Amino acid sequence: MKVLVIGGGAREHALCRSLSLDPDVTALHCAPGNAGIAEVAELHPVDPLDGGAVARLATDLQVDLVVVGPEAPLVAGVADAVRAAGVPCFGPSAEAAQLEGSKAFAKDVMAGANVPTARSYVCTTAAEIDEALDAFGAPYVVKDDGLAAGKGVVVTSDLAEARAHALACDRVVIEEYLDGPEVSLFAITDGVTVLPLSPAQDFKRALDGDEGPNTGGMGAYSPLPWADPKLVDEVMAGVLQPTVDELRRRGTPFQGLLYAGLAITGRGVRVIEFNARFGDPETQVVLARLKTPLAGVLLNAANGTLDNEAPLNWRDEAAVTVVVASHNYPGTPRTGDPIEGLDEVAAQDAPHAYVLHAGTRLDGDAVVSAGGRVLSVTATGEDLTQARERAYAAVGRIRLDGSQHRTDIARKAAGE
């Protein structure tokens, strides 16, 4: 198989790494990629939001499968353009991707599918916003209806902050606060059959102890030793399968990766949000544990033949990923700083720990920072304690001026 991955973050590096280890993959391409992906795939300078350009590249390369990583190209209809060119594509149509592209659309689908979620109001005026904030009270949960790169949600007890965020959005969803731990559960689907992956937990806040502003994610781990063993079956039956069935019933079948962000509340599982693609940084730990070769599974989903796929095989190991972010993230990040120590990690920590690139680029022979989240340092181990030790040992070798990372990823779950 020849495969083309679209995107240039750590999620795409994780996908490319897994695909490069799949014996069925004979050629691997990525557009636009990054400095780390360049080590395992051939890069192409194509705009990932330009469906026509992506489709032409896929045709020119004669690939057997296109995998669209980020949400913005999916909402822009890149998967539609690729399929229209006759190339199998893993990723939902623009219409189905509205499950992530519009919080209001997702709420409507959940209502139709009888999927448990937070009570909410969709607001477009200041009066509606004030009424919704008053109805729910603190802590306030305010979500930009559209895409916001993982940073469109404010959870705060400060009414003025909640109101300011809501007024800055064209359309906003204000909902009740859900208590309890959060879980990310991915499922691969061809629009009919749903194949769940292993649950993960990510860390949204910038600072240790879940302090500081929301980010795109500062780390993740899998599996979840504290979770009910029946959790995946429960979410499959109550959330994932009904949502896929409802989208098909509406004439917008969902083919690709359905991501359920869940809260395990005192009243049971509730959906916080859906995403229409692999989550970042959870993909880094989930794929680190996946034993089943990836390419065939994604191709079966793209071709509507996922019912042929056996249940996925998982390694017994645990995985932890720690995000190294640039100075001032999640504000306006500083970029262009040289990154040192990558060779040391490769020489001293492989194969148990490795670095996935997120916001990097090559400046001559040097790797420099090119975004807010710069690296995802990922490690596996016999348990979360060993995976944590290996991940943080590798983080300690990396030198990036002004960089920041959390020191408590998976600490509580590891029982430390």
Side-chain angles (χ1 to χ4, degrees):
M1 281 176 66
K2 291 194 270 190
V3 183
L4 168 62
V5 176
I6 303 303
R11 162 189 43 225
E12 288 76 37
H13 193 176
L15 285 163
C16 285
R17 180 181 182 273
S18 288
L19 290 165
S20 73
L21 297 172
D22 186 331
D24 288 339
V25 175
T26 52
L28 184 58
H29 302 270
C30 187
N34 62 38
I37 295 172
E39 295 176 12
V40 294
E42 185 180 339
L43 303 192
H44 302 270
V46 167
D47 179 357
L49 294 173
D50 185 338
V54 171
R56 281 191 298 278
L57 177 63
T59 306
D60 291 347
L61 294 173
Q62 298 182 318
V63 298
D64 303 292
L65 175 67
V66 173
V67 180
V68 182
E71 60 273 24
L74 292 167
V75 171
V78 168
D80 303 88
V82 171
R83 277 192 280 268
V87 181
C89 185
F90 182 81
S93 65
E95 216 171 345
Q98 284 302 304
L99 202 61
E100 177 170 4
S102 167
K103 303 287 189 298
F105 175 81
K107 289 287 186 184
D108 190 52
V109 170
M110 283 188 267
N114 204 23
V115 166
T117 186
R119 293 178 299 122
S120 64
Y121 294 102
V122 180
C123 308
T124 54
T125 67
E128 289 172 349
I129 287 166
D130 289 338
E131 193 177 333
L133 291 171
D134 185 54
F136 288 129
Y140 306 101
V141 182
V142 183
K143 299 180 175 182
D144 190 330
D145 180 55
L147 292 180
K151 298 191 285 285
V153 179
V154 165
V155 180
T156 179
S157 293
D158 184 330
L159 177 59
E161 184 188 358
R163 191 170 188 272
H165 182 65
L167 289 170
C169 305
D170 289 336
R171 187 159 79 149
V172 67
V173 175
I174 295 172
E175 62 184 40
E176 68 174 325
Y177 176 76
L178 297 174
D179 64 327
E182 294 185 14
V183 173
S184 302
L185 184 61
F186 302 165
I188 291 169
T189 179
D190 60 2
V192 179
T193 302
V194 181
L195 199 63
L197 276 64
S198 183
Q201 185 172 52
D202 78 331
F203 295 76
K204 288 290 186 198
R205 298 285 184 173
L207 307 175
D208 283 9
D210 289 328
E211 299 289 330
N214 253 349
T215 71
M218 294 299 290
Y221 70 92
S222 178
L224 312 181
W226 50 267
D228 187 327
K230 300 191 292 289
L231 176 66
V232 172
D233 291 341
E234 184 185 337
V235 176
M236 272 289 292
V239 175
L240 296 169
Q241 191 70 57
T243 299
V244 168
D245 292 345
E246 173 67 11
L247 284 163
R248 189 174 69 254
R249 187 188 68 77
R250 290 172 175 233
T252 54
F254 188 104
Q255 281 181 292
L257 195 290
L258 179 59
Y259 164 141
L262 309 163
I264 314 300
T265 76
R267 294 173 292 137
V269 174
R270 297 287 185 272
V271 175
I272 300 169
E273 64 176 357
F274 281 123
N275 289 333
R277 39 74 194 181
F278 281 101
D280 184 346
E282 300 98 320
T283 301
Q284 288 85 304
V285 291
V286 171
L287 291 186
R289 297 185 55 239
L290 181 63
K291 212 170 179 178
T292 303
L294 185 61
V297 183
L298 302 186
L299 185 62
N300 274 328
N303 285 336
T305 52
L306 202 57
D307 56 340
N308 296 339
E309 195 66 48
L312 299 174
N313 285 322
W314 297 94
R315 296 185 176 90
D316 292 333
E317 295 175 310
V320 170
T321 193
V322 179
V323 170
V324 176
S326 56
H327 177 72
N328 200 41
Y329 178 77
T332 304
R334 193 173 82 203
T335 60
D337 288 314
I339 303 164
E340 297 176 337
L342 298 173
D343 291 344
E344 292 168 41
V345 175
Q348 298 183 52
D349 301 289
H352 301 298
Y354 49 88
V355 179
L356 298 168
H357 292 231
T360 69
R361 62 179 175 82
L362 283 171
D363 183 6
D365 291 334
V367 178
V368 300
S369 61
R373 292 186 295 173
V374 181
L375 305 168
S376 283
V377 180
T378 305
T380 55
E382 288 180 14
D383 54 22
L384 286 174
T385 298
Q386 188 179 52
R388 261 179 58 79
E389 286 169 359
R390 287 171 170 173
Y392 280 108
V395 168
R397 300 190 207 283
I398 291 166
R399 297 175 296 284
L400 171 61
D401 188 46
S403 68
Q404 53 176 318
H405 65 271
R406 283 183 58 159
T407 65
D408 63 348
I409 304 301
R411 179 190 286 158
K412 189 175 169 187
E416 295 175 25

